[in-house]
Amino acid sequence: MCRLGSRRRLFVMQYVPGIPIEPSCAPLLLQHPEIMDGIGQWLAYDMLINNFDRLPLIWNNDGNCGNLLFDSNGHVYGIDQRATAIVSNMLEQYLERIHHMIARCRVWSRASDDELAREQESHPALIRVSHFFRVYGGFVLSAAQMRALSAGVVRGCEELVRVATDQLLERSLQRARTELDIEPTGTDLQSAHELVLAARAAMRDALAQRDE
Amino acid sequence: MARAHDHEHDHHDVGLPLGLVVVKQGSPAASEEYYAAVLAENLHEASGRTMWFTPRTRALEVHHEEALAIKRAIRTSPFTVPEEAYRATMYVDGADGILQGR
């Protein structure tokens, strides 16, 4: 039983008919490159909005396997994402992490098995990601999976830079303000929006270096 | 975990056939979650590709009157609720605790 009528407002979010990463299914499910690629694309979105509560690619935590769901058709869904603003003196460091990660993912997406094996033991991001899949998924991340995941990150960033125009981002901010009935001076949304703008610019710069 | 409430308006209660009900106190992150959902939906539309975020990330905010309407719809026929809300995750502003549904 739940008392809803006395609440001033509520969110209703659509149910995702999926399952999280767990040892009973993950080893088989995540062998499909397109699924690892899809996870990588979600990580690009996470970097854009600084959503740290999923897979710890550039964040120093253990991750949250419950925020990635997979349905019976192999679609990858992210849930509970939120944009998290960063205080100004840490923003530059965050943007540098994005820049570095895109560069590394570009390398990892084409690396050999031996190269990836070395990176998996030495690079903090791959150590965290490998730990995530080992703990929550019950399997050791293979080189092929790392390549697919990395390619998904790069592909996701490319797509974000392409579609996340200033106009689209501004429209999203305005719509969120309007639908939430928040004053235009609301600092939380504005700060999150500024983080997204800066992250998108960092992605664009990193991808541009790729082509130089 | 189900939590019982004592309230004089018991007719406002409804048994929710939900997989999970999440109730957040004050929900300070709600606006940032909503912004992320709106952004994801706009990105999905702009990309025109299913590889991006599906409309499943879309959140629907409703106010008191709509909440009552949703409650009535949930009670009478779950299939009449928009967006299959009968199986939705619901964020209720100003409440506390976590209610685990069926």
Side-chain angles (χ1 to χ4, degrees):
Chain A
M1 301 290 280
C2 179
R3 190 178 311 284
L4 296 181
S6 60
R7 307 303 176 195
R8 189 170 64 87
R9 65 172 58 143
L10 57 87
F11 282 130
V12 177
M13 302 186 78
Q14 191 168 10
Y15 176 81
V16 177
I19 55 174
I21 294 175
E22 54 186 37
S24 64
C25 61
L28 186 63
L29 187 65
L30 298 187
Q31 283 183 1
H32 298 283
E34 61 271 22
I35 292 182
M36 295 303 292
D37 188 285
I39 295 174
Q41 291 175 45
W42 271 107
L43 294 178
Y45 179 63
D46 290 341
M47 290 197 296
L48 179 74
I49 64 173
N50 187 26
N51 178 48
F52 50 81
D53 193 26
R54 200 181 335 264
L55 210 154
L57 187 67
I58 61 171
W59 301 272
N60 293 320
N61 59 48
D62 290 334
N64 183 347
C65 66
N67 284 342
L68 268 178
L69 299 175
F70 309 89
D71 71 8
S72 56
N73 294 318
H75 296 134
V76 183
Y77 298 106
I79 63 169
D80 284 358
Q81 44 271 1
R82 76 180 195 219
T84 309
I86 296 178
V87 292
S88 57
N89 62 341
M90 298 294 289
L91 179 59
E92 196 61 33
Q93 180 183 345
Y94 180 74
L95 299 178
E96 287 175 3
R97 284 191 186 188
I98 290 177
H99 198 284
H100 171 77
M101 187 49 57
I102 291 174
R104 294 316 303 165
C105 283
R106 178 183 169 236
V107 171
W108 292 338
S109 67
R110 301 176 306 192
S112 69
D113 289 7
D114 289 342
E115 290 168 335
L116 283 172
R118 286 193 294 273
E119 289 282 277
Q120 199 170 7
E121 293 181 353
S122 60
H123 196 283
L126 279 187
I127 292 174
R128 288 192 299 267
V129 168
S130 298
H131 180 262
F132 174 91
F133 285 108
R134 189 167 62 250
V135 170
Y136 295 119
F139 68 96
V140 176
L141 202 62
S142 71
Q145 288 170 315
M146 278 185 271
R147 278 191 289 269
L149 184 75
S150 302
V153 171
V154 175
R155 193 189 333 276
C157 291
E158 290 172 341
E159 187 75 355
L160 283 172
V161 168
R162 186 179 71 83
V163 303
T165 61
D166 288 345
Q167 293 80 4
L168 180 141
L169 294 174
E170 187 61 30
R171 193 165 65 245
S172 300
L173 177 65
Q174 292 303 328
R175 189 183 137 200
R177 281 173 172 162
T178 301
E179 296 182 5
L180 287 170
D181 193 22
I182 289 177
E183 291 297 318
T185 55
T187 55
D188 53 350
L189 280 187
Q190 185 62 45
S191 300
H193 182 70
E194 289 168 359
L195 177 279
V196 169
L197 290 172
R200 195 269 308 266
M203 287 182 177
R204 183 194 57 215
D205 293 347
L207 292 169
Q209 281 194 358
R210 167 187 176 178
D211 296 324
E212 286 175 352
Chain B
M1 177 182 68
R3 177 175 298 192
H5 293 270
D6 293 324
H7 195 279
E8 59 182 340
H9 301 299
D10 285 343
H11 63 279
H12 280 173
D13 284 342
V14 58
L16 294 173
L18 302 176
L20 177 66
V21 179
V22 179
V23 183
K24 293 185 173 181
Q25 182 165 14
S27 202
S31 61
E32 293 173 351
E33 288 181 349
Y34 194 82
Y35 173 66
V38 168
L39 178 56
E41 183 184 355
N42 284 347
L43 288 168
H44 170 68
E45 291 176 352
S47 71
R49 297 167 64 177
T50 55
M51 61 177 276
W52 274 112
F53 317 100
T54 77
R56 291 176 186 280
T57 58
R58 187 151 61 99
L60 169 69
E61 192 217 29
V62 292
H63 292 273
H64 185 75
E65 292 75 13
E66 288 87 355
L68 292 176
I70 284 180
K71 284 173 58 182
R72 284 193 294 271
I74 289 174
R75 174 176 287 167
T76 55
S77 172
F79 296 96
T80 65
V81 179
E83 309 262 351
E84 295 182 320
Y86 72 106
R87 299 184 70 188
T89 300
M90 310 184 78
Y91 289 84
V92 183
D93 196 18
D96 62 343
I98 295 177
L99 304 180
Q100 177 73 58
R102 180 172 64 87

